[in-house]
Amino acid sequence: MDRKQMEDRWPVLGRHERAAEWLLVWVDLGRAPRTIDAYARGLAEYLQMCEQDGVDPVTATRAHIAAYVRELTSRPSRHGANVVSLDSAAGLANATLQQRLVPVRLFYDFLMEEGLRASNPVGRGRYTPGRRFGGQQRALVPRLSKLPWIPTEQQWLDVLAVAAREPVRNRVMLALAYDAGLRREELCSLRTDDLDPAHRTLRVRAETTKNRRERVVPYSAATSVVLSGYLAHRATISRARGPLFLSESRRNHAQPLTLWTWSKVVRRIAIAAGVQRFSTHTMRHLCLTDLGRV
């Protein structure tokens, strides 16, 4: 992404020289496109509020940041009348609030490094003396840690019943995602040379992981059988080494399967099984939960 593309998509960034400069630094550092998109979207939202209030973002104070947080927490909820808990009637979810504040905090870190500010109005929290284990950290917005959702045993069986009717590629992807606790990008980025069928392991390359750490993970004997069937089927699509999972559509035949296509597959399975909350990340949560029960 160059500056013109960025300003065409988020015009407000073009009106703030330092904001555009900060974002291009991340582009030059090779951050993932989705990371750049999230940073740009979050900072653009903050800059728009600054313009509405007549505030120069370079000299904004903690009071201005507090006003921004108040605005985020008081927005009408998209859930409308379907309010099921006290914190769902209005405002963004806690995790979304954290995501909105990250680019703003990083932007002010950049301004400090450039000598344009003495402090960061967002900050990273502080420790309150007098608490056990060195004190309790207080951030600008408290971070809530909620347990991940996992399906009940019956819901999982319903998903598996629907998945059993899926093409072999989709079945082996579900199986590997569960066995190895793979994230969506890790799964879709697997290559043929990442597999070690003799030891029933696969390599998750560092560049596809969230923490940029490579790992080798096992998969089950049952998954090995399905995988062998898929490899035979894949050979009818392409014999070339490279991405493990290939598209079979007429438009993108033999091209690497995209993240969005996989998300649509899982969404279709979830709807057919009547388990609306089931997603591509559910297999990872379920895998780790089941491992914890052993």
Side-chain angles (χ1 to χ4, degrees):
M1 178 188 295
D2 56 27
R3 179 158 184 165
K4 185 178 185 305
Q5 292 174 322
M6 179 182 64
E7 293 177 1
D8 287 344
R9 189 166 184 182
W10 298 282
V12 67
L13 295 177
R15 298 193 293 271
H16 296 271
E17 180 68 23
R18 291 298 182 176
E21 182 181 343
W22 169 78
L23 195 61
L24 289 175
V25 168
W26 290 104
V27 174
D28 292 339
L29 288 173
R31 289 299 187 270
R34 285 182 295 163
T35 299
I36 298 299
D37 182 80
Y39 283 179
R41 184 171 61 251
L43 185 59
E45 190 171 17
Y46 170 68
L47 294 177
Q48 287 171 347
M49 192 209 74
C50 288
E51 289 185 347
Q52 293 170 3
D53 295 346
V55 175
D56 180 1
V58 176
T59 59
T61 66
R62 195 172 181 85
H64 297 131
I65 299 297
Y68 177 56
V69 172
R70 183 178 67 245
E71 193 275 329
L72 293 176
T73 56
S74 61
R75 289 179 181 177
S77 173
R78 63 182 177 85
H79 297 289
N82 299 320
V83 176
V84 295
S85 63
L86 292 177
D87 62 351
S88 66
L92 301 178
N94 183 262
T96 306
L97 279 173
Q98 304 293 341
Q99 291 173 355
R100 292 290 196 277
L101 289 175
V102 165
V104 179
R105 186 182 68 238
L106 293 177
F107 172 59
Y108 283 113
D109 280 346
F110 169 75
L111 294 182
M112 290 173 61
E113 292 170 358
E114 294 295 306
L116 299 174
R117 289 188 62 98
S119 62
N120 189 323
V122 181
R124 284 177 169 77
R126 60 183 176 83
Y127 284 89
T128 303
R131 301 299 181 102
R132 294 182 64 187
F133 307 111
Q136 180 181 5
Q137 189 176 26
R138 290 184 177 180
L140 189 65
V141 176
R143 184 180 294 274
L144 305 181
S145 299
K146 297 183 179 180
L147 291 175
W149 177 85
I150 59 172
T152 64
E153 183 175 353
Q154 184 57 54
Q155 288 174 326
W156 180 228
L157 291 175
D158 292 341
V159 169
L160 293 179
V162 174
R165 302 191 294 270
E166 287 289 310
V168 64
R169 183 200 68 194
N170 298 345
R171 284 186 280 126
V172 76
M173 290 183 74
L174 282 168
L176 286 176
Y178 171 76
D179 280 354
L182 299 178
R183 299 181 177 89
R184 180 181 63 166
E185 185 169 359
E186 295 170 348
L187 177 66
C188 293
S189 299
L190 286 175
R191 298 176 62 84
T192 53
D193 55 356
D194 291 331
L195 299 175
D196 184 356
H199 297 92
R200 290 208 312 266
T201 61
L202 57 87
R203 177 172 65 105
V204 184
R205 286 168 286 115
E207 60 269 25
T208 69
T209 65
K210 188 174 182 180
N211 59 10
R212 295 300 185 258
R213 292 182 179 179
E214 185 171 302
R215 65 185 190 273
V216 175
V217 289
Y219 54 87
S220 66
T223 297
S224 180
V225 174
V226 184
L227 178 59
S228 297
Y230 171 68
L231 292 176
H233 173 71
R234 184 186 182 281
T236 66
I237 304 172
S238 173
R239 292 185 176 274
R241 292 181 176 274
L244 177 60
F245 300 115
L246 303 177
S247 172
E248 299 180 36
S249 68
R250 286 179 294 178
R251 176 181 297 180
N252 299 309
H253 190 73
Q255 295 299 308
L257 191 74
T258 67
L259 303 179
W260 322 119
T261 299
W262 175 235
S263 292
K264 290 178 181 178
V265 168
V266 174
R267 182 60 181 164
R268 186 185 70 243
I269 293 173
I271 293 174
V275 187
Q276 299 288 338
R277 297 184 66 180
F278 190 84
S279 70
T280 58
H281 209 65
T282 302
M283 277 81 74
R284 177 174 171 80
H285 287 158
L286 190 58
C287 168
L288 298 178
T289 301
D290 287 347
L291 286 175
R293 289 170 175 167
V294 175

